[in-house]
């Protein structure tokens, strides 16, 4: 019977691959047409700064021109422009390749964490087919290079530790620090991956190679900071982002956004980063003293996570729409394309958050060091973004892991659905000479749903599913309720 089923299974797999390729090509076509169909969209915010810095580097300017923005993105853009000419398309293609490579890293990482092939494939598909995620490759923010580096670190540390692999992981962390300041306080936790299981529990030899890779990459930037501002630093916008985060008012970004308005005043407040930070730390202390720590934290909890999980992703923020709702309208897409992208954005955003929530709640595999690091990375992100200025694009580093948990849950759900079980029985009946079997029940005799229903790393018990419902409802509420709570466009 098994040999008779193989051709049908192979045909199904080929059909799924063809379907994925068609959907991915269609998603990419929509995004490229939206960006260039009616004239290229304008650069916004930090995109213009990265582009200007890259062109300055090409012209012989300083390779670290700012103490606010880390240097990797301008250097990467300058390198691409030096090879292919100053064409935005070249940078977009390079970042699209990094985007696809990130999906490949996610797929292999999830297999190494115990996910099935189907779960890993589903995770990669959720990541690749989401137009709001794929669109990051078209913009000049460092989100895609930074995401690729984060996934590369987790992927390298999930493999059997070697000196070369550990050195490369450290180098990726160093490059990640040069791309964004996000890992500045988190990177020491990666050393957990090197703690020996046997006693004495000391850091292993590869840990030294990890630190060497990190030091080698970051040393030039740290030395530059020491020479120019008297402090071994790459870039420091922490106090600025803290002040803006505490003074934000709305649950959606780009609504009366204060980031760009505050930056000139921040830069003018002192000649060095230390002076500027001192001035604005004093403003932060005065604000907390005037409002009280309880009131400040209550306001942060009531706003920050709406901004982080918002379904109004950077793609939607740039599509045509009302200014009062935080739309910049820098894309010039027509009504049909705008509606299509909004629909796909909302569909994939809701699916990723809901499936990811169920996957986390129903995860039953005992955490190893890499899963523990992923959990710490989630906790670190959520703690950090409770205080600092938040935009919806700051969710991107968590998206691959939500896709991973979501992919595992969706495959487990497929495995226990009556329709799925019935379809597999039908295939076996059609390919065998045995009498036709009746469809199997969802929960076979002797199996209590109240005890456990398991598929791979996912356990579908009532308690886990109830927790998944609550977590999914919370995330979807944060994603879609912000504009209504703020009464945007009704003011």
């Amino acid at each position: 019977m098994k040999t008779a089923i193989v051709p049908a299974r192979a045909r199904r797999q080929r059909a799924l691959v063809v379907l994925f390729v068609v959907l991915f090509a269609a998603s990419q076509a929509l995004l490229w047409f939206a960006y260039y169909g009616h004239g290229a969209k304008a650069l916004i915010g930090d995109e213009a700064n990265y582009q200007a810095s890259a062109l300055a580097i090409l012209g012989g300017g300083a390779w670290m021109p700012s103490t606010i923005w880390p240097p990797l993105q301008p250097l990467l853009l300058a390198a691409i422009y030096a090879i292919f000419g100053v064409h935005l398309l070249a940078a977009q293609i390079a970042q699209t390749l990094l985007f696809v490579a990130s999906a490949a890293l996610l797929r292999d990482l999830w297999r190494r964490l115990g996910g099935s092939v189907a779960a890993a494939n589903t995770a990669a598909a959720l990541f690749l087919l989401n137009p709001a995620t794929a669109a990051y490759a078209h913009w000049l923010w460092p989100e895609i290079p930074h995401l690729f580096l984060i996934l590369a670190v987790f992927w390298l540390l999930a493999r059997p530790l070697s000196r070369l692999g550990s050195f490369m992981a450290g180098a990726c962390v160093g490059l990640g620090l040069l791309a964004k300041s996000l890992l500045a306080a988190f990177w020491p936790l990666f050393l957990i991956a090197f703690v020996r299981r046997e006693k004495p529990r000391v850091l292993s030899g590869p840990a030294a190679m990890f630190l060497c890779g990190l030091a080698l990459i970051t040393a030039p930037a740290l030395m530059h900071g020491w020479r120019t501002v008297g402090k071994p630093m790459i870039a420091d916008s922490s106090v600025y982002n803290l002040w803006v985060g505490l003074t934000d008012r709305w649950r959606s970004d780009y609504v009366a956004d204060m980031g760009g308005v505050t930056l000139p005043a921040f830069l003018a407040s002192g000649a060095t980063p230390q002076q500027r930070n001192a001035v604005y730390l004093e403003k932060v202390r005065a604000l907390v003293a005037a409002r009280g720590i309880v009131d400040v934290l209550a306001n942060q909890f009531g706003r920050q996570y709406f901004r982080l999980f918002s379904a109004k992703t950077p793609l939607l923020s740039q599509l045509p729409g009302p200014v009062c709702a935080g739309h910049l309208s820098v894309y010039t897409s027509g009504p049909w394309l705008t509606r299509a992208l909004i629909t796909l954005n909302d569909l994939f955003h809701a699916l990723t958050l809901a499936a990811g929530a169920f996957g986390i709640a129903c995860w039953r595999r005992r955490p190893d060091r890499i899963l523990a690091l992923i959990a710490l990375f989630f906790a670190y992100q959520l703690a950090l973004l409770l205080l600092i200025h938040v935009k919806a694009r700051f969710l991107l580093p968590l998206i691959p892991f939500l896709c991973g948990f979501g992919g595992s849950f969706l495959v487990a759900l497929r495995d226990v659905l009556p329709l799925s079980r019935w379809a597999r029985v039908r295939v076996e009946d059609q390919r065998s000479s045995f009498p036709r079997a009746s469809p199997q029940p969802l929960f076979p005799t002797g199996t209590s749903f109240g005890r456990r229903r398991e598929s791979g790393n996912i356990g579908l018990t009532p308690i886990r599913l109830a927790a998944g419902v609550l977590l999914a409802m919370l995330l979807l509420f944060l994603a879609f309720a912000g504009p209504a709570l703020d009464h945007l466009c009704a003011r």
Side-chain angles (χ1 to χ4, degrees), residues 125-480:
L126 281 174
F127 179 76
L128 286 170
L129 295 178
N130 188 343
T133 304
Y136 282 101
H138 293 184
W139 307 324
L140 298 187
W141 291 311
E143 311 312 298
I144 290 297
H146 184 257
L147 180 65
F148 172 79
L149 292 166
I150 288 177
L151 287 171
V153 175
F154 279 100
W155 179 76
L156 287 164
L157 295 181
R159 297 166 61 86
L161 292 177
S162 67
R163 294 183 183 275
L164 177 59
S166 301
F167 179 85
M168 292 175 61
C172 286
V173 172
L175 289 170
L177 290 169
L178 295 181
K180 290 174 70 73
S181 300
L182 172 68
L183 297 177
F186 183 82
W187 72 261
L189 295 179
F190 281 122
L191 292 173
I192 292 174
F194 300 96
V195 175
R196 300 162 62 100
R197 293 183 178 179
E198 63 276 7
K199 295 183 179 180
R201 299 185 184 279
V202 296
L203 294 181
S204 58
M209 298 302 294
F210 174 87
L211 295 173
C212 285
L214 172 63
L216 182 66
I217 294 297
T218 57
L222 295 174
M223 291 175 62
H224 178 273
W226 182 273
R227 289 196 302 266
T228 55
V229 300
K231 178 182 178 182
M233 57 172 280
I234 297 172
D236 184 8
S237 59
S238 56
V239 177
Y240 158 75
N241 278 310
L242 175 61
W243 172 253
V244 178
L246 293 176
T247 54
D248 275 329
R249 295 179 56 195
W250 308 107
R251 294 179 177 90
S252 298
D253 54 11
Y254 298 112
V255 178
D257 191 84
M258 296 302 295
V261 176
T262 305
L263 183 59
F266 175 78
L267 294 175
S269 65
T272 66
Q274 296 93 318
Q275 293 173 355
R276 294 191 288 266
N277 287 346
V279 170
Y280 273 76
L281 273 177
E282 186 58 37
K283 292 167 71 73
V284 167
R285 293 190 187 98
L287 182 147
V288 173
R291 290 168 49 187
I293 186 66
V294 174
D295 180 67
V296 169
L297 288 177
N299 276 279
Q300 296 302 103
F301 274 109
R303 179 184 64 247
Q304 297 294 85
Y305 298 129
F306 285 95
R307 295 173 67 95
L308 178 64
F309 291 101
S310 176
K312 189 176 75 68
T313 63
L315 176 61
L316 260 62
S317 292
Q318 297 181 72
L319 288 173
V323 175
C324 57
H327 289 270
L328 303 176
S329 300
V330 290
Y331 278 91
T332 55
S333 53
W336 72 269
L337 182 54
T338 300
R339 284 195 297 271
L341 289 174
I342 290 173
T343 301
L344 289 172
N345 172 90
D346 289 351
L347 174 65
F348 274 97
H349 195 73
L351 179 60
T352 300
L353 292 183
F358 275 102
I360 292 171
C362 295
W363 192 264
R364 68 182 183 87
R365 182 186 177 211
R366 184 176 181 180
D368 57 15
R369 286 176 290 182
I370 302 303
L371 282 171
L373 279 172
I374 292 174
L376 288 171
F377 188 63
F378 267 75
Y380 169 77
Q381 284 270 85
L382 295 177
L384 180 67
L385 298 176
L386 175 63
L387 298 176
I388 69 170
H389 180 51
V390 173
K391 291 187 178 294
R393 61 187 168 96
F394 294 172
L395 182 64
L396 183 63
L398 300 182
I399 289 292
F401 304 110
L402 288 172
C403 289
F405 287 109
S408 292
F409 173 75
L410 292 174
V411 169
L413 191 64
R414 179 206 66 182
D415 290 342
V416 301
L417 284 177
L419 179 61
S420 173
R421 297 172 63 85
W422 177 83
R424 289 198 296 273
V425 171
R426 292 276 296 183
V427 170
E428 293 178 7
D429 291 342
Q430 293 170 4
R431 292 292 178 180
S432 70
S433 59
F434 292 102
R436 179 177 175 181
S438 60
Q440 296 295 314
L442 175 57
F443 302 107
T445 303
T447 299
S448 169
F449 179 67
R451 289 200 302 268
R452 176 170 290 181
R453 187 66 182 168
E454 296 176 354
S455 178
N457 290 328
I458 299 296
L460 302 179
T461 64
I463 293 178
R464 286 191 173 108
L465 288 171
V469 169
L470 293 176
L471 183 56
M473 289 176 62
L474 173 61
L475 293 184
L476 292 177
F477 178 74
L478 293 173
F480 292 97

